């Protein structure tokens, strides 16, 4: 099975 | 103060309509040169960046840089009932920076309706400079948007995920669903000038088809679409919107990984 990643894992939040 | 004027059948509103199935609120920044909209879907999986230069609007005036959270879903809903030749004016003032005013004027100029929309507070994301991000990718595919839309339509027959992988001189889209699987090979033709597939390194990404179909909707507003892939990184979909304009939209979509 595949798990959906979130963009916050790649980019930091301000 | 910000004031911009546009007709209902404008590029900006058509793009907003096309992204509403992904996002309902957006961070909108305005400067004297134009408007930039950024939005993240509720699940934090897809990001949209839209840039529209000032000259694309019928009238545009911004004397001070502004950044606001706007419920674009509510704004588009308010504008939808306007006559197709109606003129829409959006205003934000420095004195009362809690809402924006959207006015709709009938084509005969005898009727004006004004909506006051409260601004919303949004979390802002620090996205690296996007042009730099595009240069780093392992594979890029520039293709006519009609091809991209057709492939997404084929893929939508299979409910599930799509694997996008580089192959020799091309790219492969593979979807596996409950009812079967679908395989599309998209190759670099010898003569076509509107297709450019460049592969620096082999790459394969698994993505949620639902988002790909939303991206395809916006690519209908453009002739060309560019997909950029890199191992373990978000997919980037980029379109220049309209003819002879510098408007562009960029999508980022987080991949799925082995659980």
């Amino acid at each position: 099975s595949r798990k959906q990643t979130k963009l916050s894992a790649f980019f930091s939040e301000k | 103060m910000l004031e911009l004027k546009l007709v209902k059948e404008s590029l900006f509103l058509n793009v907003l309509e096309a992204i509403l199935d992904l996002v309902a609120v957006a961070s909108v920044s305005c400067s004297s040169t134009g408007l930039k909209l950024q939005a993240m879907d509720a699940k934090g999986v897809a990001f949209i960046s839209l840039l529209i230069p000032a000259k694309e609007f019928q009238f545009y005036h911004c004397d001070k840089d502004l950044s606001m959270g706007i419920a674009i879903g509510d704004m588009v809903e308010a504008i939808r009932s306007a006559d197709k030749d109606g003129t829409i004016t959006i205003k934000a003032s420095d004195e009362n920076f809690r809402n924006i005013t959207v006015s709709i004027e009938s084509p005969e100029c005898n009727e004006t309706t004004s909506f006051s929309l409260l601004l919303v507070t949004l979390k802002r994301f620090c996205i690296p400079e996007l042009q730099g991000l595009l240069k780093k990718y392992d594979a890029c595919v520039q293709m006519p948007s009609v091809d991209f839309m057709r492939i997404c339509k084929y893929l939508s027959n299979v409910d599930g995920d799509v694997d996008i992988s580089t192959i020799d001189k091309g790219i492969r889209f593979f979807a596996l669903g409950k009812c079967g699987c679908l395989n599309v090979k998209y190759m670099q033709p010898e003569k076509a000038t509107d297709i450019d597939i460049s592969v620096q390194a082999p790459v394969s990404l698994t993505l949620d088809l639902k988002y790909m179909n939303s991206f395809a909707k916006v690519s209908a507003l453009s002739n060309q679409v560019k997909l950029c892939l890199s191992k373990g990184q978000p997919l980037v979909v980029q379109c220049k919107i309209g003819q002879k304009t510098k408007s562009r939209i960029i999508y980022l979509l987080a991949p799925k990984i082995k659980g």
Side-chain angles (χ1 to χ4, degrees):
Chain A
S1 67
R2 304 257 174 187
K3 190 181 146 198
Q4 177 67 61
T5 59
K6 290 184 185 285
L7 286 172
S8 54
F10 305 95
F11 308 117
S12 62
E13 286 180 41
K14 259 184 191 173
Chain B
M1 180 189 165
L2 166 75
E3 181 174 350
L4 58 90
K5 204 171 271 207
L6 59 164
V7 288
K8 194 187 172 193
E9 293 299 310
S10 72
L11 183 73
F12 180 53
L13 291 176
N14 289 340
V15 173
L16 290 191
E17 282 276 4
I19 63 173
L20 281 183
D21 55 350
L22 272 186
V23 295
V25 289
S27 164
V28 177
S29 305
C30 298
S31 68
S32 57
T33 56
L35 178 150
K36 190 169 152 186
L37 178 149
Q38 295 193 321
M40 181 86 75
D41 82 302
K43 290 180 178 167
V45 172
F47 175 81
I48 296 166
S49 169
L50 168 70
L51 184 74
I52 299 193
K55 63 179 182 183
E56 292 301 316
F57 295 93
Q58 210 172 54
F59 173 81
Y60 185 99
H61 173 77
C62 180
D63 52 17
K64 188 179 168 188
D65 291 1
L66 291 177
S67 190
M68 338 169 241
I70 297 181
I72 53 169
D74 292 343
M75 191 171 89
V76 170
E77 191 62 43
I79 292 168
R80 263 185 198 145
S81 50
D83 192 285
K84 73 175 173 61
D85 297 319
T87 304
I88 291 125
T89 305
I90 299 171
K91 281 185 188 176
S93 75
D94 304 338
E95 293 87 47
N96 176 16
F97 198 56
R98 286 173 57 202
N99 53 36
I100 55 166
T101 308
V102 181
S103 305
I104 301 166
E105 197 172 45
S106 66
E108 293 79 23
C109 305
N110 65 323
E111 181 187 310
T112 307
T113 308
S114 294
F115 298 90
S116 180
L117 288 177
L118 285 174
L119 297 178
V120 293
T121 309
L122 284 177
K123 241 189 320 188
R124 295 191 66 199
F125 279 80
C126 180
I127 302 292
E129 208 274 304
L130 289 164
Q131 291 305 322
L133 199 71
L134 290 169
K135 283 176 193 162
K136 288 178 195 162
Y137 272 75
D138 290 336
C140 277
V141 183
Q142 176 113 23
M143 66 204 290
S145 56
V146 286
D147 291 0
F148 180 61
M149 283 173 64
R150 190 179 54 252
I151 291 170
C152 287
K153 205 171 174 184
Y154 284 142
L155 292 167
S156 64
N157 292 319
V158 181
D159 183 29
D161 298 332
V162 56
D163 289 330
I164 307 180
S165 317
T166 51
I167 51 174
D168 187 29
K169 293 176 186 164
I171 192 160
R172 186 180 83 129
F173 298 82
F174 176 78
L176 178 65
K178 286 174 189 164
C179 60
C181 67
L182 187 133
N183 199 22
V184 182
K185 281 184 185 174
Y186 193 79
M187 312 299 286
Q188 174 72 57
E190 282 181 17
K191 285 183 183 169
T193 54
D194 54 357
I195 298 174
D196 184 21
I197 302 175
S198 78
V199 178
Q200 314 296 328
V203 57
S204 178
L205 288 182
T206 302
L207 303 152
D208 189 331
L209 263 176
K210 183 184 72 185
Y211 293 98
M212 294 295 285
N213 283 314
S214 293
F215 297 173
K217 209 185 278 185
V218 172
S219 69
L221 303 169
S222 172
N223 288 335
Q224 287 275 307
V225 59
K226 190 175 183 181
L227 312 182
C228 296
L229 305 101
S230 202
K231 194 179 174 185
Q233 291 294 312
L235 169 78
V236 180
V237 182
Q238 187 180 29
C239 305
K240 284 179 186 164
I241 311 169
Q243 312 272 341
K244 299 176 193 168
T245 82
K246 288 190 174 172
S247 306
R248 61 114 181 97
I249 188 159
I250 292 179
Y251 284 103
L252 302 179
L253 175 59
K256 287 192 165 187
I257 54 168
K258 279 181 185 167

